[in-house]
Amino acid sequence: MQFPFSRPSFAGLGLALGLSALVLSPLAAQETAPAAPDAAAAAKPADPDAVVATIGGKPITEADLAMAEGELSQQFAQLPAEQRRAAALSAAIEIKVMAAKAVADGLDKDADFQRRAAFLQERALHGEIVEKEVVDKITDDEVRARYDKEIAAQPAVNEVHARHILVKTKEEADAIIKELDGGAKFEDLANKHTTDPSGKTSGGDLGWFGPGQMVPEFEKAAMALEPGSYTKEPVQTQFGWHVIKVEDKRPKQPPAFEQVKDQIRSAVLRDKYFALVKELRAAAKVEIPDAALKKAVDAAEGGK
């Protein structure tokens, strides 16, 4: 059975069991074909204080519903909007009635529970400050500037379009070079002699590659060749002996901004997050009496 909520969520196993009937219902069978969103609902956001249900006279609001829906697993996220809303309301009701029983039984006074509740509150506040002080303050211009700086800092490099013939011995490679010197066509020799399975029907074609994509010996030899030329001496690598021909060279194009903007934004977020942590840690009095633990923490934080 799949859990309707993620394991670390506040709902836990009891809620998973309570909602499992929805997974097995005829409604859930439609989850692979979600309904189109309601355009009117999308255009008019719900009032977070609007009451959608009551339990013993106490309200469940649209805000409660939104939080419950946010905890639904991906399985429930595939449901049409109304079914997902029903599942979220069912979840919110279960949470509240079970929580009420826990309070009635005095579980909210349990020391272990209070420790967990305090930690969860602090974790939620941590997330809130990150959202408000870091995520919300990152601008598109800032991300673009970081992209331009990172790309500008990269040295210009070439990528090459090459072919190769891979054989087991230097003697075989020397013999192939002699045939090339005599006018034989590289592609024909590759199809006939190479032990690289992918090259036997493509004339040894490796396509385009740049720095760091081939083993060092192969890369060094290929990058040194002019377009249209081949190695006059065999090149040895861990795979065997190579005869390499470079078909063409071109400047390596940087990835377009749209391709990498999410990664760049993540890098900006990470830097801003750790800058904020560093600032707050410097202002706080943090003491770790256990010397071994302090050393381990310092080592771990030194890698950030």
Side-chain angles (χ1 to χ4, degrees):
M1 180 183 72
Q2 290 186 319
F3 293 97
F5 282 76
S6 59
R7 288 181 183 272
S9 76
F10 61 84
L13 178 59
L15 185 57
L17 294 172
L19 287 179
S20 63
L22 286 173
V23 183
L24 302 174
S25 72
L27 291 178
Q30 303 172 31
E31 66 181 50
T32 55
D38 186 322
K44 185 179 180 182
D47 177 2
D49 295 323
V51 176
V52 296
T54 60
I55 302 175
K58 295 183 178 180
I60 296 178
T61 66
E62 286 285 357
D64 296 325
L65 201 60
M67 286 189 287
E69 189 169 341
E71 289 290 320
L72 292 176
S73 72
Q74 188 60 35
Q75 176 186 9
F76 278 79
Q78 298 303 312
L79 290 172
E82 282 307 308
Q83 295 173 31
R84 189 168 63 249
R85 184 174 168 82
L89 180 54
S90 179
I93 291 169
E94 291 183 27
I95 290 168
K96 288 185 177 295
V97 297
M98 297 288 275
K101 176 170 173 50
V103 171
D105 291 350
L107 297 182
D108 58 322
K109 303 297 192 297
D110 179 79
D112 187 49
F113 167 78
Q114 290 184 345
R115 282 190 291 269
R116 292 200 309 274
F119 176 77
L120 289 173
Q121 182 183 32
E122 289 177 342
R123 189 171 69 175
L125 289 169
H126 168 275
E128 197 71 9
I129 198 70
V130 170
E131 190 73 23
K132 298 295 190 294
E133 293 294 321
V134 181
V135 177
D136 289 350
K137 291 186 177 181
I138 296 175
T139 66
D140 291 341
D141 288 345
E142 189 174 16
V143 175
R144 182 71 200 213
R146 176 69 171 266
Y147 167 83
D148 292 339
K149 179 182 177 182
E150 295 292 339
I151 296 303
Q154 293 180 357
V157 295
N158 282 333
E159 57 181 1
V160 300
H161 177 198
R163 298 177 184 273
H164 81 139
I165 303 170
L166 175 64
V167 290
K168 293 181 179 179
T169 67
K170 183 176 184 298
E171 289 72 24
E172 291 175 280
D174 284 331
I176 288 168
I177 291 172
K178 285 185 179 180
E179 289 191 67
L180 290 171
D181 290 341
K185 191 175 179 181
F186 194 97
E187 292 91 321
D188 293 339
L189 293 179
N191 289 341
K192 181 179 179 181
H193 296 292
T194 190
T195 60
D196 178 359
S198 64
K200 279 192 169 295
T201 56
S202 65
D205 194 0
L206 294 169
W208 290 93
F209 60 88
Q213 292 182 262
M214 298 291 178
V215 293
E217 303 89 345
F218 190 101
E219 178 185 307
K220 182 179 179 181
M223 293 293 181
L225 290 170
E226 292 299 321
S229 64
Y230 55 87
T231 49
K232 297 300 183 178
E233 294 291 333
V235 177
Q236 186 179 21
T237 72
Q238 64 200 70
F239 303 104
W241 293 87
H242 306 259
V243 180
I244 305 167
K245 179 184 179 184
V246 167
E247 296 286 1
D248 201 2
K249 287 185 176 181
R250 66 186 181 190
K252 185 178 181 181
Q253 298 299 317
F257 175 68
E258 291 299 321
Q259 288 181 286
V260 296
K261 66 178 182 180
D262 289 341
Q263 295 96 303
I264 298 294
R265 184 177 292 274
S266 294
V268 172
L269 190 155
R270 180 183 186 278
D271 289 350
K272 284 181 171 293
Y273 171 81
F274 282 118
L276 178 59
V277 169
K278 184 177 180 180
E279 176 189 341
L280 296 176
R281 287 285 295 266
K285 186 179 181 181
V286 179
E287 297 179 349
I288 305 175
D290 186 320
L293 181 57
K294 184 180 186 306
K295 183 178 179 181
V297 170
D298 290 343
E301 293 184 347
K304 292 180 181 178

